């Protein structure tokens, strides 16, 4: 090289550049259809590593990562520190912006989406005093997570978490009454005109039904992506859409909605639980099982896997226990009946008449009728060996004791003696429920004096 | 958002400045004298005296005409170097800003947009100012064009001042255009629902004290918040937050016949309470001189609007508007008589001397109300958003001028890259590490040591995985480590007074949160900081340039 002049040297450099460019261009040729293009494009497609196969492509995110060169890690750390500081100093709107920046840098890091969505929907939300503000932050968290699912179409956990936000966060918080109301009729009337926030509830459905849709999508994604999820045991994970249907029906009952829609919701829940979920095959150490497998089917499965029928039954039983399968089946079976619906409606009405209307005579009659029907329902489930699975249902027992407490109190107020026998007396006198009775009695005393409880 | 209310006293600051400048001048003279003496003996002392004499002449007999000519040359040179290309970066950033701010989000408050503009302008122009000022003189020295300049009848002090002025003019021009573009962008980009957040509120803050549940002076309760910014008062007790406002311009308030109090209290619940209803509080307006106490509202109470402004979904305004005529039930002197309805004039009866005490009480039993000094203020008539915005830009301008002064001075005795590093280091230290340094030195001055020790001790602890509480093993090594660390802290204590505090120039939090930029807490210290460096920078720059071998490449 030393013997060359400047022009010659430049020519050599140019040649070297061209020679090096050839393999680069050849290797990196873009693809115009799956499986085409250079080696890199083909490998990207084969291992599903392309941005577009992971989810929606965000140009801002790609630009940021490109511009930062190798400093993405440093920038991300700084942003995380900033986010923590903003959270500490309760600078919520800036926190939200910082979180947006973090996600530009780490769009395919599942934990970031989950962590920051939880941060907004749970931590920030809880800091606000006005329920409308709390709801606004829950929505922000949910919307954030929804964006996460769009950017990462192959992460079933994100879909599942979105279902949790829609279902549990909206439906089980202290503010659930208002949250559920806001979910279908957003408090931000300026933007949504009294309807739901279409970004999270486009069809104006109940929150549990929206949650159910997200859980269903999680199951679909799980199936498409080959069963990779690290959140829950598979039978529990897959069971969430069905559980959400039950939550929907339960929530309606708690709100005093006992019409045909609620009964039908329970009927759907029963059908799906036994005919869809119950018929799914799950892998166990004892081979495949189905919760709702008939004897011959279970025997076939045992033969197929080369294990004893007793082993198969053992694993079926264990897995049923894990998801509380039999309890929920029984619950749906009972709740879908007209008799149980009526019993629940009357017990609810009795409480309302006593509490809100102070109609003691009306309350006494309706409660007695409800208690009678509940007793009838319990009796209908009695087995030949004398046991009764309904008597193991804590919630049902609680409802029964609550009804008796109010009814007895109403009698006292009316100056009437409490008779020795009355419907549900077996539960009332059962020493097994003594603790529960004591606890509910104390709560009943508080309930009379305040709205809590 | 919360503010730590800065207080800046001009008098003490001036005294401190004089002391620091005097110490530095004496030190520089001693060092200069020593070097001259050692280098050239008595002849060196003669040179030293001559240099000093020339310095006094050159620094006092300045020709503003020559300075203007030098500044004009500097401006031309900057344009020749295509400084204005920086606009391309700026315009690109704004074209795609929507990408990064999730522009489609209609529920976004104005705050992130304002922050974005002010922050990006600051961080785009800091490198420009550093590079311009640090590379100008070294480049001229390298290509010998400065050699031509110094042969002309021009003083070297004028070269330094001319450079500083020239670069300042360039950055002023660039900043002016960026400010206008940024202003228009904010107006267009902020969603319609957040447009009303584009204001400049003018707060008047008071002094705050807290009375405990027995009504006695005491601090607020800590409810377990790791951020110990607010003190909490217990509901339905005699606990009060007492805000004392002094010298309020009542005449300005009289124009609207009402007093607007804005609050930012935080609620803390120990039980769920009424879901769907906020925590309640009441105010008592007190004239300390006459003892007149007027509850507000006269009946019922106020519901807290916590974190209003952090979301736009709920149109909540944490403002209490107190009308001029206040009617309340006054307890009769005679206990058996019924309270009588009384009307007082807010300005004449309660704020006659411009002073007012506002007591805040929480009305819900078992619930708490958190407050800090800036959490309740009198809201004077608002200024336009432009007022706060352009003041904030003025803050950025002042900071750039300071950076240019430091950069130009550094370039008189250092080569371009080193001067750039030095200036950038000072900016980073003055902006990011100053608070950390302040905390360390405060502890060092109060306790004589810092938790975990200085640099060497910390390194030792890191290497040996020793926690910060355990004492170091006794021995000569420990003594040496501690001795060196102590000297470093002593040096840091001196340096602290020399490194400029760039935090004053950051007025973004005010404007982003809808406040006007205050004069006393932000503008005055910023101007004072810049002025404080004018003379030292020119003097150092002059002597460095005078002593520098300009023919050297």
């Amino acid at each position: 090289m030393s013997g060359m002049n400047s022009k010659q040297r430049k020519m050599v450099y140019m040649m070297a550049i061209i020679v090096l460019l050839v393999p680069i261009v050849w290797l990196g040729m873009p693809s115009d259809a799956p499986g085409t293009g250079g080696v890199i494009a083909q490998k990207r497609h084969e291992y599903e590593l392309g941005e577009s196969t992971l989810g929606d492509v965000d140009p801002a995110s790609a630009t940021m990562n490109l511009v930062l060169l190798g400093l993405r890690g440093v920038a991300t750390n700084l942003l995380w520190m900033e986010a923590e500081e903003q959270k500490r100093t309760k600078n919520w709107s800036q926190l939200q912006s910082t979180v947006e920046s973090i996600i530009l840098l780490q769009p395919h890091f599942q934990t970031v989406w989950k962590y920051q969505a939880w941060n907004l929907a749970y931590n920030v939300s809880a800091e606000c005093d006005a329920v409308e503000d709390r709801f606004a932050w829950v929505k922000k968290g949910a919307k954030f997570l929804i964006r996460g699912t769009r950017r990462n179409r192959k992460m079933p956990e994100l879909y599942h978490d979105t279902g949790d936000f829609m279902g549990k966060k909206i439906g089980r918080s202290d503010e659930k009454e208002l949250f559920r109301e806001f979910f279908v009729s957003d408090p931000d009337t300026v933007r949504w005109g009294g309807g739901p926030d279409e970004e999270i509830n486009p069809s104006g459905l109940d929150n549990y039904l929206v949650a159910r849709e997200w859980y269903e999508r999680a199951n679909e994604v799980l199936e498409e992506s080959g069963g990779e999820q690290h959140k829950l045991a598979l039978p529990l994970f897959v069971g969430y859409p069905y559980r959400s249907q039950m939550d929907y029906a339960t929530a309606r009952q708690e709100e005093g909605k006992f019409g045909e829609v609620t009964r039908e919701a329970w009927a759907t829940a029963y059908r799906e639980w036994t005919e869809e979920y119950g018929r799914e095959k799950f892998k166990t150490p004892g081979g495949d099982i189905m919760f709702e497998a008939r004897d011959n089917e279970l025997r076939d499965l045992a033969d197929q896997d080369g294990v004893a029928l007793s082993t198969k039954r053992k694993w079926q039983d264990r897995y049923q226990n894990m998801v509380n399968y039999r309890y929920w089946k029984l619950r749906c079976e009972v709740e879908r009946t007209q008799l149980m619906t009526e019993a629940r409606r009357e017990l609810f009405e009795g409480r309302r008449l006593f509490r809100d209307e102070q109609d003691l005579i009306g309350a006494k009659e309706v409660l007695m009728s409800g208690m009678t029907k509940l007793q009838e329902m319990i009796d209908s489930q009695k087995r030949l060996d004398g046991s009764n699975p309904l008597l193991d249902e804590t919630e049902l027992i609680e409802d029964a004791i609550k009804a008796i407490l109010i009814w007895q109190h109403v009698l006292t107020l009316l100056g009437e003696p409490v008779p020795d026998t009355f419907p549900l007396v077996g539960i009332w006198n059962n020493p097994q429920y003594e603790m529960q009775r004591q606890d509910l009695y104390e709560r009943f005393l508080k309930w009379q004096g305040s709205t809590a409880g | 958002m919360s503010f730590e209310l800065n207080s800046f006293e001009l008098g003490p600051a001036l005294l401190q400045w004089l002391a620091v400048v005097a110490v530095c001048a004496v030190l520089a003279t001693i060092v200069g004298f020593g070097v001259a003496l050692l280098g050239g003996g008595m002849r060196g002392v003669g040179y030293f005296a001559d240099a000093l004499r020339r310095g006094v002449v050159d620094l006092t007999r300045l020709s503003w005409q020559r300075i203007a000519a030098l500044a004009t040359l500097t401006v031309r040179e900057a344009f020749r170097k295509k400084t204005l290309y920086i606009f391309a970066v700026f315009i690109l950033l704004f074209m795609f800003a929507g990408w990064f701010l999730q522009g489609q989000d209609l529920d976004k408050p104005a705050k992130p947009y304002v922050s974005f503009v002010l922050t990006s302008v600051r961080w785009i122009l800091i490198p420009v100012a550093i590079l311009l000022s640090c590379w100008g003189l070294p480049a001229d020295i390298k290509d010998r064009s400065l050699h031509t300049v110094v042969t002309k009848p021009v003083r070297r002090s004028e070269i330094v001042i001319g450079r500083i002025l020239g670069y300042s003019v360039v950055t002023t021009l660039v900043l002016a255009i960026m400010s206008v573009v940024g202003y228009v962008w904010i107006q267009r980009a902020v969603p319609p629902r957040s447009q009303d957040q584009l204001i400049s509120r003018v707060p008047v803050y008071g002094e705050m004290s807290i009375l405990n549940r027995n009504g006695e002076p005491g601090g607020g309760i800590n409810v377990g918040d790791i951020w110990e910014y607010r003190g909490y008062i217990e509901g339905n007790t005699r606990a009060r937050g007492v805000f004392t406002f002094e010298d309020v311009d009542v005449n300005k308030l009289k124009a609207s016949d009402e007093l607007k109090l804005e609050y930012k209290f935080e609620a803390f619940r120990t039980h769920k309470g009424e879901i769907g209803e906020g925590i309640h509080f009441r105010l008592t307006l007190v004239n300390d001189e006459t003892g007149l106490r007027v509850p507000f509202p006269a009946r019922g109470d106020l519901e807290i609007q916590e974190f209003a402004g952090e979301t736009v979904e709920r149109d909540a305004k944490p403002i209490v508007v107190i009308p001029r005529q206040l009617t309340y039930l006054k307890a009769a002197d005679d206990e058996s008589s019924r309270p009588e309805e009384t009307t007082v004039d807010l300005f004449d009866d309660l704020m006659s001397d411009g002073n007012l005490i506002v007591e805040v009480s929480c009305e819900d039993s078992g619930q708490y109300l958190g407050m800090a000094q800036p959490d309740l203020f009198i809201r004077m008539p608002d200024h336009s958003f432009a007022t706060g915005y352009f003041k904030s830009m003025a803050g950025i301008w002042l900071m750039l001028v300071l950076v240019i002064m430091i950069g130009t001075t550094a370039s008189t005795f250092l080569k371009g890259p080193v001067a750039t590093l030095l200036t950038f280091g000072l900016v980073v230290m003055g902006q990011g590490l100053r608070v950390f340094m302040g905390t360390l030195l405060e502890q060092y001055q109060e306790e004589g040591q810092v938790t975990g020790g200085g640099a060497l001790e910390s390194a030792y602890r890191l290497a040996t995985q020793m926690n910060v509480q355990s004492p170091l093993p006794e021995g000569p090594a420990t003594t040496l480590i501690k001795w060196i660390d102590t000297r470093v802290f002593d040096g840091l204590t001196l340096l602290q007074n020399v490194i400029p505090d760039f935090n004053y120039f950051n007025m973004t939090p005010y404007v982003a949160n809808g406040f006007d930029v205050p004069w006393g807490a932000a503008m005055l210290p910023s101007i004072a900081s810049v002025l404080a460096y004018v003379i030292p920078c020119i003097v150092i720059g002059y002597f460095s340039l005078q002593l520098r071998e300009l023919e050297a490449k």
Side-chain angles (χ1 to χ4, degrees):
Chain A
M1 293 285 273
S2 56
M4 295 177 183
N5 63 29
S6 168
K7 198 174 177 183
Q8 286 167 330
R9 270 203 306 275
K10 280 174 188 162
M11 285 304 289
V12 171
Y13 293 149
M14 190 66 77
M15 288 302 292
I17 288 169
I18 292 169
V19 168
L20 286 171
L21 263 179
V22 172
I24 292 171
V25 170
W26 180 71
L27 286 169
M29 265 196 301
S31 67
D32 42 15
T36 62
V39 176
I40 294 173
Q42 285 179 24
K43 289 285 171 203
R44 194 188 299 131
H45 177 75
E46 191 183 329
Y47 295 113
E48 299 187 331
L49 289 171
E51 276 282 315
S52 56
T53 49
L54 293 173
D56 287 351
V57 178
D58 181 359
S61 173
T63 314
M64 282 280 270
N65 283 323
L66 203 67
V67 167
L68 284 168
L69 301 170
L71 291 172
R72 185 172 78 150
V74 177
T76 311
N77 271 311
L78 286 173
L79 285 171
W80 271 89
M81 280 157 65
E82 201 176 310
E84 281 305 305
E85 178 64 12
Q86 283 160 348
K87 186 178 148 198
R88 192 180 75 85
T89 53
K90 305 180 186 190
N91 196 353
W92 310 130
S93 55
Q94 286 292 83
L95 168 68
Q96 202 192 348
S97 290
T98 311
V99 167
E100 297 288 351
S101 304
I102 294 174
I103 222 68
L104 285 177
L105 297 177
Q106 298 182 309
H108 302 303
F109 192 169
Q110 190 187 130
T111 314
V112 181
W113 289 101
K114 287 165 84 167
Y115 180 92
Q116 295 296 3
W118 268 74
N119 215 357
L120 300 179
Y122 284 78
N123 300 338
V124 177
S125 161
E127 290 278 353
C128 301
D129 200 53
V131 182
E132 291 88 346
D133 284 349
R134 288 184 217 170
F135 185 68
W137 284 103
V138 172
K139 281 199 308 181
K140 284 179 204 286
K143 287 177 188 178
F144 184 76
L145 212 47
I146 291 172
R147 288 213 339 263
T149 60
R150 288 188 191 136
R151 294 282 281 123
N152 302 280
R153 294 215 180 105
K154 296 186 173 177
M155 292 180 184
E157 291 100 325
L158 286 184
Y159 291 86
H160 202 271
D161 280 350
T162 314
D164 283 347
F165 276 37
M166 303 295 182
K168 292 178 193 163
K169 182 62 194 165
I170 303 279
R172 290 191 193 164
S173 308
D174 286 342
E175 312 84 355
K176 64 183 174 190
E177 274 178 39
L178 284 168
F179 274 8
R180 274 174 54 76
E181 194 185 310
F182 291 162
F183 195 74
V184 286
S185 170
D186 201 279
D188 183 2
T189 48
V190 177
R191 183 157 179 209
W192 303 111
D197 182 337
E198 288 166 15
E199 289 175 21
I200 54 167
N201 187 12
S203 312
L205 298 173
D206 187 276
N207 69 297
Y208 282 115
L209 294 182
V210 175
R212 187 198 146 117
E213 286 177 1
W214 280 102
Y215 290 133
E216 279 170 348
R217 269 183 247 175
N219 286 355
E220 284 164 20
V221 173
L222 181 68
E223 208 174 322
E224 285 165 18
S225 63
E228 275 283 317
Q229 61 86 21
H230 308 277
K231 189 176 175 182
L232 291 165
L234 189 66
L236 286 168
F237 189 92
V238 172
Y240 265 78
Y242 314 103
R243 288 289 309 279
S244 207
Q245 173 71 25
M246 296 174 205
D247 287 339
Y248 163 61
T250 309
R252 285 186 64 85
Q253 284 181 338
E254 283 171 359
E255 287 164 1
K257 297 170 184 163
F258 297 99
E260 196 53 27
V261 177
T262 308
R263 207 185 60 73
E264 190 50 46
W266 278 114
T268 308
Y270 179 75
R271 196 177 56 248
E272 289 176 346
W273 190 251
T274 54
E275 292 173 18
E276 291 178 18
Y277 184 55
R279 304 293 295 166
E280 288 238 13
K281 274 188 188 166
F282 294 108
K283 287 202 185 311
T284 72
D288 287 351
I289 57 127
M290 281 192 290
F291 292 136
E292 208 55 51
R294 286 178 282 273
D295 281 351
N296 60 329
E297 286 171 329
L298 210 57
R299 198 169 296 116
D300 288 347
L301 284 172
D303 292 344
Q304 192 184 304
D305 295 331
V307 294
L309 182 62
S310 58
T311 311
K312 213 40 120 178
R313 281 198 202 287
K314 184 184 83 181
W315 284 107
Q316 186 193 38
D317 186 54
R318 278 195 187 182
Y319 271 61
Q320 281 183 339
N321 286 343
M322 180 168 74
V323 300
N324 224 356
Y325 184 81
R326 289 181 295 272
Y327 165 80
W328 289 112
K329 184 181 171 184
L330 177 68
R331 176 94 193 264
C332 296
E333 194 178 352
V334 170
E335 298 288 357
R336 69 181 173 146
T337 61
Q338 195 66 44
L339 184 64
M340 190 63 183
T341 305
E342 272 305 300
R344 285 219 183 267
R345 190 190 64 74
E346 287 178 350
L347 294 183
F348 184 89
E349 180 63 9
R351 277 201 295 271
R352 193 189 66 79
L353 286 174
F354 164 70
R355 178 75 186 270
D356 301 339
E357 310 273 328
Q358 285 85 47
D359 176 2
L360 300 180
I361 294 171
K364 185 183 90 171
E365 284 169 8
V366 178
L367 283 171
M368 175 50 75
S369 172
M371 285 157 59
T372 309
K373 284 175 180 141
L374 189 58
Q375 181 67 65
E376 219 175 298
M377 190 72 236
I378 292 169
D379 292 344
S380 73
Q381 294 295 319
K382 205 170 180 179
R383 290 176 184 152
L384 289 172
D385 63 358
S387 66
N388 194 327
L390 277 186
L391 294 180
D392 296 331
E393 273 211 38
T394 320
E395 278 177 58
L396 190 117
I397 298 300
E398 192 175 309
D399 285 345
I401 296 173
K402 273 185 194 171
I404 299 166
L405 278 169
I406 300 171
W407 174 73
Q408 288 186 346
H409 188 68
V410 167
L411 288 183
T412 312
L413 290 174
L414 289 170
E416 296 177 19
V418 178
D420 289 337
T421 59
F422 50 85
L424 306 175
V425 72
I427 292 175
W428 184 253
N429 290 332
N430 192 335
Q432 186 189 338
Y433 308 128
E434 180 58 28
M435 291 281 282
Q436 208 172 347
R437 219 177 61 192
Q438 283 295 329
D439 178 45
L440 285 169
Y441 179 67
E442 281 166 24
R443 276 166 58 187
F444 172 69
L445 292 178
K446 281 185 197 166
W447 180 67
Q448 285 189 97
S450 74
T451 51
Chain B
M1 163 65 204
S2 52
F3 297 108
E4 298 287 350
L5 295 179
N6 298 323
S7 57
F8 180 79
E9 302 283 340
L10 192 60
L14 193 65
L15 282 177
Q16 195 190 355
W17 178 79
L18 280 172
V20 172
V21 168
V23 169
C24 290
V26 170
L27 277 177
T29 313
I30 292 170
V31 171
F33 182 78
V35 170
L37 190 66
L38 288 174
M42 284 316 287
R43 214 168 57 172
V45 174
Y47 283 142
F48 177 74
D50 188 45
L52 268 186
R53 186 188 52 76
R54 253 191 305 140
V56 172
V57 174
D58 282 350
L59 286 166
T60 47
R61 293 185 189 169
L62 298 169
S63 156
W64 290 106
Q65 210 173 359
R66 285 197 298 266
I67 291 173
L70 282 162
T72 314
L73 278 175
T74 310
V75 172
R76 280 189 196 152
E77 176 202 299
F79 285 143
R80 254 202 324 275
K81 285 183 179 168
K82 303 185 174 55
T83 314
L84 297 182
Y85 276 21
I86 195 66
F87 282 126
V89 179
F90 185 67
I91 298 296
L92 260 178
L93 199 68
F94 275 67
M95 275 167 69
F96 298 103
W99 282 8
F100 304 100
L101 285 169
Q102 295 297 327
Q104 76 279 15
D105 192 350
L106 298 173
D107 297 332
K108 195 180 273 296
K111 198 194 291 190
Y113 294 90
V114 181
S115 278
F116 171 76
V117 171
L118 293 170
T119 310
S120 43
V121 167
R122 195 165 68 243
W123 284 107
I124 286 175
L125 289 184
I126 284 178
V128 175
I130 292 177
L131 292 177
L132 265 180
S133 57
C134 292
W135 289 80
L137 272 176
D140 281 0
I141 294 171
K142 197 179 171 188
D143 58 27
R144 298 196 174 184
S145 51
L146 193 70
H147 189 66
T148 320
V149 176
V150 290
T151 53
K152 304 275 185 264
V154 59
R155 297 181 197 280
R156 296 191 181 194
S157 53
E158 289 164 355
I159 296 175
V160 177
I161 298 171
R163 286 272 161 181
I164 292 174
L165 278 181
Y167 294 135
S168 300
V169 168
V170 175
T171 41
T172 306
L173 190 70
V174 177
L175 178 69
I177 299 171
M178 281 187 175
S179 311
V180 175
V181 173
Y183 182 76
V184 174
W185 185 84
I186 289 174
Q187 297 288 347
R188 289 172 59 88
V190 171
R193 294 179 70 180
S194 311
Q195 285 279 344
D196 63 347
Q197 293 179 353
L198 295 179
I199 45 164
S200 293
R201 290 173 285 172
V202 184
V204 172
Y205 295 104
E207 288 294 322
M208 190 196 78
S209 59
I210 284 183
L211 304 180
N212 65 20
R213 69 197 314 273
N214 301 318
E216 294 155 0
I221 291 169
N222 180 344
V223 294
D225 202 334
I226 50 168
W227 190 37
E228 292 175 346
Y229 172 68
R230 293 189 168 91
Y232 286 75
I233 56 169
E234 191 181 342
N236 205 15
T237 65
R238 293 173 71 188
R240 300 283 184 274
V242 183
F243 294 81
T244 309
F245 298 95
E246 286 176 353
D247 303 325
V248 182
D249 189 349
V250 179
N251 289 330
K252 267 192 188 171
L253 295 170
K254 276 181 179 169
S256 58
D257 263 0
E258 62 185 23
L259 172 73
K260 263 189 196 171
L261 288 174
E262 189 163 331
Y263 63 88
K264 203 147 189 241
F265 304 137
E266 216 184 310
F268 179 79
R269 294 179 183 235
T270 56
H271 58 86
K272 279 191 270 181
E274 289 292 329
I275 289 180
E277 230 178 88
I279 303 285
H280 298 92
F281 70 97
R282 288 193 90 188
L283 304 177
T284 306
L285 310 173
V286 183
N287 184 335
D288 202 26
E289 230 165 73
T290 61
L292 177 64
R293 297 174 66 84
V294 180
F296 186 85
R299 289 186 177 83
D301 35 40
L302 301 158
E303 197 177 319
I304 187 174
Q305 305 293 337
E306 197 186 29
F307 300 126
E310 293 292 326
T311 53
V312 297
E313 283 88 338
R314 192 168 63 97
D315 187 23
K317 298 269 183 286
I319 299 171
V320 182
V321 180
I322 301 170
R324 181 166 183 166
Q325 300 300 324
L326 281 164
T327 304
Y328 70 106
L329 284 175
K330 186 183 179 188
D333 298 334
D334 173 12
E335 275 184 19
S336 58
S337 306
R338 296 179 65 184
E340 57 187 62
E341 209 165 70
T342 314
T343 301
V344 292
D345 186 289
L346 173 68
F347 300 124
D348 296 339
D349 299 327
L350 280 162
M351 299 178 73
S352 50
D353 47 0
N355 300 343
L356 176 70
I357 294 175
V358 180
E359 290 181 5
V360 185
S361 58
C362 177
E363 296 299 294
D364 296 312
S365 196
Q367 315 290 36
Y368 291 77
L369 208 59
M371 53 195 71
Q373 192 191 350
D375 280 349
L376 183 80
F377 59 84
I378 294 175
R379 189 164 154 183
M380 302 302 279
D382 293 342
H383 290 166
S384 68
F385 171 68
T387 314
Y389 174 81
F390 286 107
K391 273 188 192 172
S392 186
M393 283 296 177
I396 295 177
W397 177 76
L398 286 166
M399 181 191 67
L400 292 173
V401 171
L402 181 56
V403 170
I404 286 168
M405 287 198 306
I406 295 170
T408 310
T409 310
S411 72
T412 56
F413 58 90
L414 293 170
K415 290 202 170 175
V418 189
T420 307
L421 270 178
L422 174 71
T423 315
F424 187 70
L426 279 174
V427 171
V428 170
M429 272 197 280
Q431 194 148 284
L433 301 177
R434 191 145 176 131
V435 178
F436 174 63
M437 200 161 82
T439 318
L440 280 185
L441 291 177
E442 198 178 320
Q443 198 186 1
Y444 174 68
Q445 277 152 12
E446 277 173 15
E447 300 167 20
Q449 59 177 13
V450 174
T451 315
L456 282 182
E457 189 179 330
S458 301
Y460 177 83
R461 285 179 188 278
L462 271 176
T464 55
Q465 299 191 344
M466 182 190 279
N467 67 44
V468 291
Q469 307 296 339
S470 309
L472 292 184
E474 293 292 328
T478 300
T479 315
L480 184 68
I481 285 173
K482 284 193 181 275
W483 187 84
I484 294 173
D485 279 348
T486 312
R487 298 291 81 75
V488 171
F489 276 124
D490 290 339
L492 214 57
T493 312
L494 287 175
L495 264 182
Q496 191 196 18
N497 295 316
V498 182
I499 298 170
D501 189 348
F502 277 87
N503 291 310
Y504 282 127
F505 301 109
N506 184 11
M507 299 162 191
T508 309
Y510 296 108
V511 191
N513 287 285
F515 285 100
D516 195 5
V517 176
W519 168 255
M523 291 305 289
L524 179 64
S526 302
I527 295 169
S529 297
V530 176
L531 291 179
Y533 284 85
V534 171
I535 295 173
C537 280
I538 292 172
V539 172
I540 296 170
Y542 164 74
F543 280 108
S544 305
L545 206 59
Q546 195 195 59
L547 300 173
R548 188 162 179 175
E549 184 61 55
L550 294 179
E551 284 75 18
K553 275 200 173 184

